[in-house]
Amino acid sequence: MIDGDTYQISHAGAPDGEPVRARHFDTPEKGDRAQCRAEREKAQQASTFARRLLPRGAAVALSDLGRDRYGRLLATVTLPDGTNIAAQLIGAGLAL
């Protein structure tokens, strides 16, 4: 887990893991990139929530693949039961 909307995911093309930026939502920035303390706190809440959805070793499905301007893999991330990560974080009020 990198933050609430970027995850380290192992797949056939990157068995040791690759950063994947989840599509269709944005979580608050953390650390020095945050605009204020409240944003840092919300970012931590988003990361904690995402970590509960995606514990280390959890299986996910990636679709709608692409690359962003930083070279990160972009993908819609869903759990095997069809749970959409974006919808969960947005529904919890932790992402836009």
Side-chain angles (χ1 to χ4, degrees), residues 3-73:
D3 62 23
D5 55 23
T6 306
Y7 318 117
Q8 187 76 8
I9 295 180
S10 299
H11 56 85
D16 294 328
E18 172 179 15
V20 174
R21 170 65 169 84
R23 287 187 182 270
H24 310 297
F25 70 102
D26 190 32
T27 58
E29 297 296 336
K30 66 180 196 176
D32 293 337
R33 296 183 65 183
Q35 303 266 334
C36 62
R37 182 175 180 216
E39 183 176 10
R40 279 190 292 280
E41 290 172 2
K42 194 66 124 178
Q44 182 59 48
Q45 292 171 0
S47 292
T48 299
F49 188 88
R51 194 170 281 112
R52 281 195 301 262
L53 290 172
L54 301 168
R56 184 178 291 275
V60 296
L62 303 178
S63 60
D64 193 20
L65 302 175
R67 295 272 174 189
D68 69 8
R69 64 179 180 237
Y70 305 109
R72 293 178 299 187
L73 181 61

